[in-house]
Amino acid sequence: MARPTDAEASSATRPAPRRRRPVRWVLLGLAVLAVVVVACTALLARDALTARDALEEAALIVPEVEQSLRTGLTDVAADAGGSLTDVPALAELQEQTGTAREATDGPLWRVAALLPVVGASVDAATTVSAVLDQVAEVALPALATAGDAVARTGRDDDGSIDLQPLAASAEDVGTARAVIADAHAELAGIDTTALQSQFVEPVTMLEDQLAQLDELLGGAERAAVLLPPMLGADEPRRYLLLGLNNAELRAGGGIVGSLTLLEADGGRVDVVRQASSGDVGPFAEPVVPLDPEVEAAYTTRVGRFVQDVTLTPDFPTSARIAAAMWEQDHGPVDGVLATDPVALSRLLEVTGPVTVEVPEDIADAIGTERVEITAETVVDLLLRRAYDALDGARADAFFAVVASTVFARLSTADVSPVDALPALQHAAQSHRLLVWSAREDEQALVDGTLLSGGFSADRAADATGMFLDDTVVGKLSSHLETTVEHTGSVCTDDGRTDTVTLRMANTLDEERARDLPFYVAGPHDAPDRGTMSLNLTAYGARDGVVPELTRDDDVVGGSSVVVQGRQRVAVNVRLTPGESTEVTMTTRAPAAVARGGGAPAPGTRELWTTPTVGTPGLHVSEVPVCG
């Protein structure tokens, strides 16, 4: 055999060459990957545009749906076949939010949420879409269902209210509030500082809208949970109704002039007894232990005389004292209500004129056994004309008869509860209708609402106050004209400075003052007859600084104390017939409140005042958000 050559041997010992993947396959793989990336990007972009358009449309529809749910009760009640769940805008909103949720859901969006720079914004878009869709599909229909229940609340032939539909809506509303709570938690988890700028506003806007919807649902839940038992669905309830007389002012509205005992049983409300302030007390000692700060500010009178329980602007305090006073003389009650002639005028717009059967002693004084009361005449009749013929005690008794007659008329079968709702809402918003329950669990739900009148409650922590209290016995305040104006807000390094002006005028002239009865204007030989003497008390926000007061541009000072966590300063204002004056209060909101964290809503402030004949007791103003 021939030996291999050197070349052959060398070739045999070398390893075989490695197989190489052709470059074209690598390029092809990269091209495919690029196509996939481009395709995914295109799909994401398409879905993002779809979601953006749907969310923008939804943002425009949400306020429309909310307004429909706020104001649609009357229309639904008038249309036996109608329903708030059939509001066209609600169906359109659900379609848009469903589109946005579908467009931002899927594996591509989950992967994109992990990317740097844009990942947080992608994740936020997914969260916002999901949250809004859940609100549209669950929370808003539940709110509509609750609205339907209120709208369809009717009366039986005996005037009792059918409470079953309202009670049945409580579970749905509770579920809806849970959805809103979850939605808030989801949005709270979004770090807006990590978002691209165009994604920040939709998140904050949705948070604001959720807060408004939660407020609506909170009201619906309270109505569904509170009204049935408070109206006697489970057992009879008894309530004390205080008639507040604006002709003699106290901080909480007016002196207690009349008292009416009401009984609610199975949705029917009846008048059990009428009384005047002279039928309760006075008491040698306060009927309940007084907070030392309350006693220092208002003296023990607030706990000894039923006429003076409204010396404090905090209605739960007034109500607890009034309930204890009534219990000592007449037996226990389950709660206390308060209203005034201005609120009665609103209710008379619903009921129409009522005819009042007056007691014999009053009939002898006024020359008639029956008096027709209308929305246009009730305020002047109770606060002015009654005193032309009646002394204080009989005028109070007449007040009680009128108030009980109006409430009895409201309880008849031909007055729809829904028809009365706007008047009741207006009265509550003006602090002319107040409610307190002696049951702690119920009062916990009342707290934080306009009906509670709780100036010491957390809801009013950032509110300020300017209250009036007559210092002389009489009924001159029916001739007091007042106006309230928010005159300015300025951002400062420490927060915000707010100013409000209270204008007061004594509309009497000297001739008319001389002709008024002594129980209205004082002794006929008094040199200052017709002169009003009012204590004005100014309150800052809780844990705030002492308010500063000027009167007609001159700085005024007064006694200052702390009451329930608020700095309070009091000054006396005297007004001769025809005289007017302006008192301006300056308060300082701390930085946390000025930045929009205060109640009742960012960019607003509340001023509480004494409800007078012409001015409500609550004023909400827009203010700048500082910092």
Side-chain angles (χ1 to χ4, degrees):
M1 175 180 290
R3 295 178 59 188
T5 65
D6 291 349
E8 290 172 337
S10 175
S11 175
T13 59
R14 288 200 303 266
R18 186 177 301 169
R19 294 175 60 94
R20 296 181 180 177
R21 179 174 295 173
V23 173
R24 64 178 180 274
W25 289 108
V26 175
L27 293 175
L28 180 60
L30 291 174
V32 170
L33 179 60
V35 169
V36 171
V37 170
V38 170
C40 290
T41 302
L43 290 172
L44 282 171
R46 181 202 65 186
D47 289 346
L49 290 173
T50 300
R52 182 202 65 185
D53 293 343
L55 289 175
E56 286 181 350
E57 188 66 26
L60 296 174
I61 300 172
V62 168
E64 181 183 347
V65 173
E66 181 186 341
Q67 185 64 19
S68 296
L69 297 180
R70 283 183 185 273
T71 62
L73 295 179
T74 304
D75 294 338
V76 170
D79 179 7
S83 170
L84 287 174
T85 56
D86 296 332
V87 170
L90 178 56
E92 186 179 354
L93 175 64
Q94 291 169 336
E95 181 180 350
Q96 297 295 343
T97 59
T99 298
R101 184 169 192 168
E102 183 178 348
T104 56
D105 191 19
L108 286 179
W109 283 81
R110 288 191 286 274
V111 171
L114 302 176
L115 297 175
V117 182
V118 299
S121 298
V122 170
D123 190 46
T126 300
T127 300
V128 167
S129 299
V131 162
L132 194 52
D133 188 46
Q134 188 73 351
V135 169
E137 290 293 335
V138 179
L140 290 175
L143 183 57
T145 299
D148 283 346
V150 173
R152 309 216 181 282
T153 299
R155 295 184 187 273
D156 295 333
D157 292 340
D158 66 352
S160 60
I161 299 173
D162 180 11
L163 300 171
Q164 194 280 329
L166 193 60
S169 70
E171 184 176 352
D172 287 339
V173 175
T175 300
R177 292 206 78 188
V179 168
I180 296 292
D182 290 344
H184 273 300
E186 290 282 342
L187 293 182
I190 297 176
D191 180 8
T192 55
T193 62
L195 302 183
Q196 294 173 294
S197 58
Q198 64 266 34
F199 286 90
V200 175
E201 185 177 358
V203 174
T204 56
M205 183 185 298
L206 182 54
E207 287 176 332
D208 291 343
Q209 290 173 337
L210 288 179
Q212 294 176 32
L213 290 174
D214 193 45
E215 178 189 353
L216 272 176
L217 282 165
E221 184 177 42
R222 287 185 180 94
V225 173
L226 277 176
L227 283 179
M230 290 188 75
L231 288 175
D234 305 318
E235 59 181 344
R237 298 284 190 95
R238 288 200 164 191
Y239 298 98
L240 182 63
L241 172 64
L242 307 179
L244 305 185
N245 191 329
N246 313 101
E248 187 173 349
L249 293 178
R250 295 291 183 265
I255 194 170
V256 175
S258 68
L259 303 96
T260 302
L261 184 64
L262 304 173
E263 183 174 81
D265 187 5
R268 178 178 171 81
V269 180
D270 292 306
V271 174
V272 176
R273 178 175 180 177
Q274 301 164 4
S276 69
S277 56
D279 297 322
V280 179
F283 303 90
E285 299 292 335
V287 293
V288 298
L290 298 178
D291 183 315
E293 293 179 349
V294 171
E295 183 174 333
Y298 313 114
T299 76
T300 60
R301 291 186 62 86
V302 70
R304 297 173 49 232
F305 297 89
V306 72
Q307 298 94 324
D308 291 329
V309 296
T310 47
L311 279 170
T312 167
D314 186 59
F315 182 69
T317 299
S318 302
R320 279 192 293 270
I321 296 171
M325 289 179 173
W326 183 268
E327 181 173 3
Q328 286 203 20
D329 283 351
H330 305 290
V333 293
D334 296 290
V336 178
L337 316 176
T339 191
D340 67 12
V342 179
L344 290 180
S345 71
R346 288 277 181 169
L347 295 175
L348 282 163
E349 291 177 1
V350 179
T351 65
V354 299
T355 300
V356 176
E357 304 284 343
V358 298
E360 184 177 348
D361 59 333
I362 296 177
D364 291 341
I366 64 177
T368 181
E369 298 177 350
R370 295 177 181 83
V371 178
E372 185 178 73
I373 309 292
T374 70
E376 294 75 25
T377 63
V378 64
V379 172
D380 186 57
L381 179 64
L382 291 180
L383 300 184
R384 300 186 187 97
R385 289 169 49 205
Y387 296 106
D388 292 338
L390 302 172
D391 59 23
R394 287 187 296 176
D396 288 345
F398 182 55
F399 193 147
V401 173
V402 172
S404 61
T405 302
V406 173
F407 272 82
R409 179 75 178 87
L410 280 172
S411 301
T412 56
D414 57 341
V415 178
S416 166
V418 176
D419 291 342
L421 192 58
L424 296 172
Q425 288 175 330
H426 185 274
Q429 290 165 354
S430 302
H431 281 183
R432 299 185 189 277
L433 177 63
L434 304 168
V435 176
W436 173 80
S437 173
R439 307 190 181 205
E440 291 186 5
D441 58 333
E442 293 179 354
Q443 183 58 29
L445 290 174
V446 175
D447 281 339
T449 69
L450 291 173
L451 286 169
S452 76
F455 193 54
S456 65
D458 289 342
R459 182 194 177 281
D462 302 320
T464 57
M466 296 181 79
F467 303 102
L468 298 173
D469 170 40
D470 273 312
T471 64
V472 294
V473 177
K475 296 294 183 285
L476 285 175
S477 290
S478 62
H479 303 280
L480 175 68
E481 184 178 275
T482 58
T483 59
V484 177
E485 182 184 2
H486 174 235
T487 47
S489 292
V490 178
C491 293
T492 66
D493 293 339
D494 299 327
R496 190 185 67 239
T497 299
D498 300 313
T499 57
V500 293
T501 298
L502 172 63
R503 299 181 179 90
M504 296 177 283
N506 184 340
T507 62
L508 286 172
D509 56 39
E510 292 185 0
E511 182 179 355
R512 173 61 175 150
R514 286 194 299 269
D515 293 338
L516 290 172
F518 75 91
Y519 42 79
V520 174
H524 286 279
D525 58 354
D528 57 352
R529 198 158 206 277
T531 296
M532 299 176 181
S533 179
L534 302 156
N535 274 347
L536 188 155
T537 54
Y539 287 80
R542 187 189 296 173
D543 301 324
V545 299
V546 179
E548 299 172 4
L549 297 179
T550 61
R551 180 178 178 184
D552 298 327
D553 298 326
D554 294 325
V555 176
V556 293
S559 59
S560 178
V561 295
V562 176
V563 183
Q564 296 174 320
R566 299 174 185 273
Q567 296 283 351
R568 168 191 181 269
V569 61
V571 297
N572 183 256
V573 176
R574 290 177 63 83
L575 295 172
T576 60
E579 186 180 6
S580 62
T581 191
E582 290 186 356
V583 178
T584 296
M585 177 180 70
T586 300
T587 57
R588 289 171 175 80
V593 176
R595 285 195 297 267
T604 64
R605 67 179 300 278
E606 282 188 352
L607 172 70
W608 291 39
T609 63
T610 299
T612 64
V613 174
T615 303
L618 180 64
H619 312 265
V620 181
S621 304
E622 292 185 1
V623 293
V625 176
C626 306

